[in-house]
Amino acid sequence: MFGKRQLSVAAIGCGNRARVYLNLISEQPENFTIVAAADPVSQRVEAIRGISNNPNFLSFADADELLGCSRLADVLIIATQDNYHFDPCTRALRKGYDIVLEKPISNNIHEVVELEELAHELGRRVIVCHVLRYTSFYRKLRELIQSGILGEVINFNASEGIGPWHFAHSYVRGHWSVVENATPTIAAKCSHDMDLLHWLLDKKCKRVSSFGHLTFFKKENYKLNDQYPMFDATRYLDQDQKIWLAQVYDNPDGEKEEILGWLKSSDWGRNVFQCDNTAPDHQTVNLEFEGGTTGTFTMSAFDEGRNYEFNGTKARLRAGDFYKEHLGADIIITDHASNRTTRLNVVDGNPHPKFGDYHNGGDVGFIKELHLLLTQEETPPTSITSSLQSHLMAFGSEESRKTGEVISIDQYYRSLKSRENALD
Ligand SMILES: NC(=O)c1ccc[n+]([C@@H]2O[C@H](COP(=O)([O-])OP(=O)(O)OC[C@H]3O[C@@H](n4cnc5c(N)ncnc54)[C@H](O)[C@@H]3O)[C@@H](O)[C@H]2O)c1
């Protein structure tokens, strides 16, 4: 049918995410060749040139310049910041590129709906980087839930703890701190979680309601500053925080004085009680799925890791970071009838010396399957159409948080879409 052919790849936005994907792609020369990249920061494009190992690699100063040329590659990775996905993605689709698009699809739900419609209209592939679906852990979880071992799933509780430092980095000091200008937290961070929930259950979400507030990282709490040295910006110099510095500063291994100088004028050098942040530091979503399955999802700055409780008619399942850390098992299933407990540990199918820890092996797993996702006839599991579901759930939750209304996902979608056929 399609046969195994090498695909050419270009990228717009050469920051953290593109670098990880392109490094992994460069490990599959039989499947991919990296031909071009665009970024206003020339050293980031040059880093991709190095990764590409391609003497004919083309560099561009920005998306406009790259998209001003006729189509340069089979596939375009779009890994710019959230507010600059829609414009390059629309233009690239019209030029005939298939797209690997970083999540969220856009920071604006109208654009999400419009892009999905456009991809559908043009018959192009847009694969959204919901990389957690490509981890061994989530695949096992889904396999167990879909196997019927739990019986019918009646309800669930799920949570994502972002962790205080990570939250401060991204949602107090960083890109997603002012919700009025950025993707809402529940969509920026938790579109993964929304995506996982409807995929694990294999059901459509019908309604959501949500509460959430910014409670801690506020100016009136500056009086508490001395009690929280853990948030001091000089901690970006600590070895175990370099990973965070590297996300926003191009020379994380530079001299201490140079980094301190940069922090002084950078958003990431600000005191966490003196920012202009509005992103909630905790938010709970109530969800109702087809068939009456109900559940809660809680995002908190003050928890760490993802955890799940699925309660079925035959058994209950507990899984996630807490269970792994404190009970030594990834997944614990207790059968109601026998009261017998089974503990499971999932072997990571995507070990990698450098990127194995990134998204629990999700980045590696995603790129391992990318060639197939782009060439097989079937619609990729993380297509833009599937991802539209999670975006409606996430943006619907934010709408509910702001208005206090219960949001019907079908009605919300109908109010946003121009295409008539229903979501499936
Ligand atoms: N899949 C995931 O789990 C995951 C994880 C983290 C981030 N993300 C998302 O990935 C995207 C990129 O995040 P990142 O951390 O790599 O950001 P980043 O800031 O490191 O990279 C973005 C790059 O885009 C470049 N850019 C800006 N304007 C441009 C233009 N006009 N043309 C070309 N390039 C331009 C910037 O210079 C920067 O290098 C974001 O949408 C983010 O939300 C997804």
PDB file of all heavy atoms in Angstrom, residues 13-30:
ATOM      1  N   GLY A  13       9.722  26.474  15.002  1.00  0.00           N
ATOM      2  CA  GLY A  13       9.909  26.559  16.454  1.00  0.00           C
ATOM      3  C   GLY A  13      10.933  25.508  16.845  1.00  0.00           C
ATOM      4  O   GLY A  13      10.639  24.312  16.779  1.00  0.00           O
ATOM      5  N   CYS A  14      12.144  25.943  17.222  1.00  0.00           N
ATOM      6  CA  CYS A  14      13.224  24.983  17.519  1.00  0.00           C
ATOM      7  C   CYS A  14      13.596  25.027  18.996  1.00  0.00           C
ATOM      8  O   CYS A  14      14.777  24.951  19.361  1.00  0.00           O
ATOM      9  CB  CYS A  14      14.445  25.284  16.657  1.00  0.00           C
ATOM     10  SG  CYS A  14      14.087  25.262  14.910  1.00  0.00           S
ATOM     11  N   GLY A  15      12.602  25.162  19.865  1.00  0.00           N
ATOM     12  CA  GLY A  15      12.847  25.194  21.308  1.00  0.00           C
ATOM     13  C   GLY A  15      12.960  23.782  21.872  1.00  0.00           C
ATOM     14  O   GLY A  15      13.357  22.836  21.183  1.00  0.00           O
ATOM     15  N   ASN A  16      12.561  23.663  23.137  1.00  0.00           N
ATOM     16  CA  ASN A  16      12.730  22.390  23.856  1.00  0.00           C
ATOM     17  C   ASN A  16      12.077  21.202  23.181  1.00  0.00           C
ATOM     18  O   ASN A  16      12.678  20.159  22.999  1.00  0.00           O
ATOM     19  CB  ASN A  16      12.079  22.499  25.240  1.00  0.00           C
ATOM     20  CG  ASN A  16      12.793  23.499  26.071  1.00  0.00           C
ATOM     21  OD1 ASN A  16      13.954  23.312  26.371  1.00  0.00           O
ATOM     22  ND2 ASN A  16      12.102  24.577  26.415  1.00  0.00           N
ATOM     23  N   ARG A  17      10.815  21.373  22.846  1.00  0.00           N
ATOM     24  CA  ARG A  17      10.054  20.222  22.344  1.00  0.00           C
ATOM     25  C   ARG A  17      10.589  19.775  20.993  1.00  0.00           C
ATOM     26  O   ARG A  17      10.812  18.587  20.779  1.00  0.00           O
ATOM     27  CB  ARG A  17       8.557  20.558  22.250  1.00  0.00           C
ATOM     28  CG  ARG A  17       7.925  20.940  23.561  1.00  0.00           C
ATOM     29  CD  ARG A  17       8.075  19.853  24.595  1.00  0.00           C
ATOM     30  NE  ARG A  17       7.440  18.627  24.169  1.00  0.00           N
ATOM     31  CZ  ARG A  17       7.812  17.416  24.595  1.00  0.00           C
ATOM     32  NH1 ARG A  17       8.801  17.278  25.456  1.00  0.00           N
ATOM     33  NH2 ARG A  17       7.181  16.346  24.169  1.00  0.00           N
ATOM     34  N   ALA A  18      10.799  20.722  20.087  1.00  0.00           N
ATOM     35  CA  ALA A  18      11.291  20.358  18.759  1.00  0.00           C
ATOM     36  C   ALA A  18      12.638  19.660  18.878  1.00  0.00           C
ATOM     37  O   ALA A  18      12.908  18.674  18.188  1.00  0.00           O
ATOM     38  CB  ALA A  18      11.397  21.594  17.885  1.00  0.00           C
ATOM     39  N   ARG A  19      13.473  20.169  19.789  1.00  0.00           N
ATOM     40  CA  ARG A  19      14.821  19.576  19.948  1.00  0.00           C
ATOM     41  C   ARG A  19      14.736  18.112  20.364  1.00  0.00           C
ATOM     42  O   ARG A  19      15.437  17.258  19.841  1.00  0.00           O
ATOM     43  CB  ARG A  19      15.617  20.365  20.980  1.00  0.00           C
ATOM     44  CG  ARG A  19      16.770  21.074  20.367  1.00  0.00           C
ATOM     45  CD  ARG A  19      17.717  21.740  21.325  1.00  0.00           C
ATOM     46  NE  ARG A  19      17.214  22.121  22.620  1.00  0.00           N
ATOM     47  CZ  ARG A  19      16.831  23.354  22.947  1.00  0.00           C
ATOM     48  NH1 ARG A  19      16.857  24.323  22.061  1.00  0.00           N
ATOM     49  NH2 ARG A  19      16.401  23.628  24.172  1.00  0.00           N
ATOM     50  N   VAL A  20      13.827  17.829  21.306  1.00  0.00           N
ATOM     51  CA  VAL A  20      13.681  16.436  21.761  1.00  0.00           C
ATOM     52  C   VAL A  20      13.195  15.563  20.602  1.00  0.00           C
ATOM     53  O   VAL A  20      13.774  14.517  20.291  1.00  0.00           O
ATOM     54  CB  VAL A  20      12.691  16.349  22.950  1.00  0.00           C
ATOM     55  CG1 VAL A  20      12.422  14.893  23.320  1.00  0.00           C
ATOM     56  CG2 VAL A  20      13.235  17.110  24.154  1.00  0.00           C
ATOM     57  N   TYR A  21      12.129  16.008  19.936  1.00  0.00           N
ATOM     58  CA  TYR A  21      11.575  15.190  18.848  1.00  0.00           C
ATOM     59  C   TYR A  21      12.610  14.975  17.739  1.00  0.00           C
ATOM     60  O   TYR A  21      12.773  13.869  17.230  1.00  0.00           O
ATOM     61  CB  TYR A  21      10.331  15.857  18.248  1.00  0.00           C
ATOM     62  CG  TYR A  21       9.150  15.923  19.198  1.00  0.00           C
ATOM     63  CD1 TYR A  21       8.335  17.053  19.247  1.00  0.00           C
ATOM     64  CD2 TYR A  21       8.832  14.866  20.031  1.00  0.00           C
ATOM     65  CE1 TYR A  21       7.248  17.126  20.107  1.00  0.00           C
ATOM     66  CE2 TYR A  21       7.756  14.932  20.903  1.00  0.00           C
ATOM     67  CZ  TYR A  21       6.970  16.064  20.938  1.00  0.00           C
ATOM     68  OH  TYR A  21       5.905  16.133  21.791  1.00  0.00           O
ATOM     69  N   LEU A  22      13.309  16.061  17.367  1.00  0.00           N
ATOM     70  CA  LEU A  22      14.229  15.939  16.230  1.00  0.00           C
ATOM     71  C   LEU A  22      15.458  15.115  16.590  1.00  0.00           C
ATOM     72  O   LEU A  22      15.989  14.385  15.754  1.00  0.00           O
ATOM     73  CB  LEU A  22      14.596  17.329  15.703  1.00  0.00           C
ATOM     74  CG  LEU A  22      13.401  18.011  15.007  1.00  0.00           C
ATOM     75  CD1 LEU A  22      13.651  19.504  14.829  1.00  0.00           C
ATOM     76  CD2 LEU A  22      13.089  17.372  13.661  1.00  0.00           C
ATOM     77  N   ASN A  23      15.895  15.190  17.858  1.00  0.00           N
ATOM     78  CA  ASN A  23      16.972  14.301  18.291  1.00  0.00           C
ATOM     79  C   ASN A  23      16.555  12.847  18.118  1.00  0.00           C
ATOM     80  O   ASN A  23      17.306  12.019  17.615  1.00  0.00           O
ATOM     81  CB  ASN A  23      17.289  14.553  19.766  1.00  0.00           C
ATOM     82  CG  ASN A  23      18.515  15.424  19.946  1.00  0.00           C
ATOM     83  OD1 ASN A  23      19.593  15.086  19.459  1.00  0.00           O
ATOM     84  ND2 ASN A  23      18.353  16.560  20.607  1.00  0.00           N
ATOM     85  N   LEU A  24      15.340  12.541  18.544  1.00  0.00           N
ATOM     86  CA  LEU A  24      14.862  11.155  18.453  1.00  0.00           C
ATOM     87  C   LEU A  24      14.631  10.748  16.988  1.00  0.00           C
ATOM     88  O   LEU A  24      14.924   9.620  16.589  1.00  0.00           O
ATOM     89  CB  LEU A  24      13.570  10.993  19.268  1.00  0.00           C
ATOM     90  CG  LEU A  24      13.767  11.077  20.788  1.00  0.00           C
ATOM     91  CD1 LEU A  24      12.442  11.264  21.518  1.00  0.00           C
ATOM     92  CD2 LEU A  24      14.475   9.821  21.303  1.00  0.00           C
ATOM     93  N   ILE A  25      14.124  11.686  16.204  1.00  0.00           N
ATOM     94  CA  ILE A  25      13.901  11.410  14.776  1.00  0.00           C
ATOM     95  C   ILE A  25      15.236  11.124  14.078  1.00  0.00           C
ATOM     96  O   ILE A  25      15.321  10.249  13.212  1.00  0.00           O
ATOM     97  CB  ILE A  25      13.153  12.616  14.137  1.00  0.00           C
ATOM     98  CG1 ILE A  25      11.659  12.505  14.460  1.00  0.00           C
ATOM     99  CG2 ILE A  25      13.390  12.705  12.630  1.00  0.00           C
ATOM    100  CD1 ILE A  25      10.825  13.692  14.027  1.00  0.00           C
ATOM    101  N   SER A  26      16.285  11.850  14.493  1.00  0.00           N
ATOM    102  CA  SER A  26      17.590  11.661  13.842  1.00  0.00           C
ATOM    103  C   SER A  26      18.157  10.266  14.106  1.00  0.00           C
ATOM    104  O   SER A  26      19.074   9.822  13.427  1.00  0.00           O
ATOM    105  CB  SER A  26      18.581  12.731  14.306  1.00  0.00           C
ATOM    106  OG  SER A  26      18.985  12.450  15.633  1.00  0.00           O
ATOM    107  N   GLU A  27      17.593   9.572  15.108  1.00  0.00           N
ATOM    108  CA  GLU A  27      18.040   8.199  15.381  1.00  0.00           C
ATOM    109  C   GLU A  27      17.380   7.191  14.443  1.00  0.00           C
ATOM    110  O   GLU A  27      17.597   6.001  14.545  1.00  0.00           O
ATOM    111  CB  GLU A  27      17.743   7.834  16.846  1.00  0.00           C
ATOM    112  CG  GLU A  27      18.575   8.643  17.822  1.00  0.00           C
ATOM    113  CD  GLU A  27      18.220   8.370  19.277  1.00  0.00           C
ATOM    114  OE1 GLU A  27      17.334   7.527  19.549  1.00  0.00           O
ATOM    115  OE2 GLU A  27      18.837   9.021  20.153  1.00  0.00           O
ATOM    116  N   GLN A  28      16.504   7.673  13.548  1.00  0.00           N
ATOM    117  CA  GLN A  28      15.841   6.770  12.592  1.00  0.00           C
ATOM    118  C   GLN A  28      16.125   7.234  11.152  1.00  0.00           C
ATOM    119  O   GLN A  28      15.205   7.627  10.429  1.00  0.00           O
ATOM    120  CB  GLN A  28      14.331   6.793  12.795  1.00  0.00           C
ATOM    121  CG  GLN A  28      13.840   6.312  14.133  1.00  0.00           C
ATOM    122  CD  GLN A  28      12.310   6.411  14.212  1.00  0.00           C
ATOM    123  OE1 GLN A  28      11.577   6.164  13.258  1.00  0.00           O
ATOM    124  NE2 GLN A  28      11.818   6.794  15.369  1.00  0.00           N
ATOM    125  N   PRO A  29      17.413   7.199  10.729  1.00  0.00           N
ATOM    126  CA  PRO A  29      17.717   7.709   9.373  1.00  0.00           C
ATOM    127  C   PRO A  29      17.022   6.916   8.273  1.00  0.00           C
ATOM    128  O   PRO A  29      16.808   7.419   7.175  1.00  0.00           O
ATOM    129  CB  PRO A  29      19.244   7.578   9.285  1.00  0.00           C
ATOM    130  CG  PRO A  29      19.627   6.626  10.359  1.00  0.00           C
ATOM    131  CD  PRO A  29      18.597   6.715  11.435  1.00  0.00           C
ATOM    132  N   GLU A  30      16.641   5.656   8.585  1.00  0.00           N
ATOM    133  CA  GLU A  30      15.945   4.870   7.554  1.00  0.00           C
ATOM    134  C   GLU A  30      14.516   5.380   7.342  1.00  0.00           C
ATOM    135  O   GLU A  30      13.931   5.181   6.285  1.00  0.00           O
ATOM    136  CB  GLU A  30      15.956   3.367   7.910  1.00  0.00           C
ATOM    137  CG  GLU A  30      15.127   2.918   9.109  1.00  0.00           C
ATOM    138  CD  GLU A  30      15.649   3.358  10.512  1.00  0.00           C
ATOM    139  OE1 GLU A  30      16.635   4.133  10.591  1.00  0.00           O
ATOM    140  OE2 GLU A  30      15.034   2.962  11.513  1.00  0.00           O
TER     141      GLU A  30
END
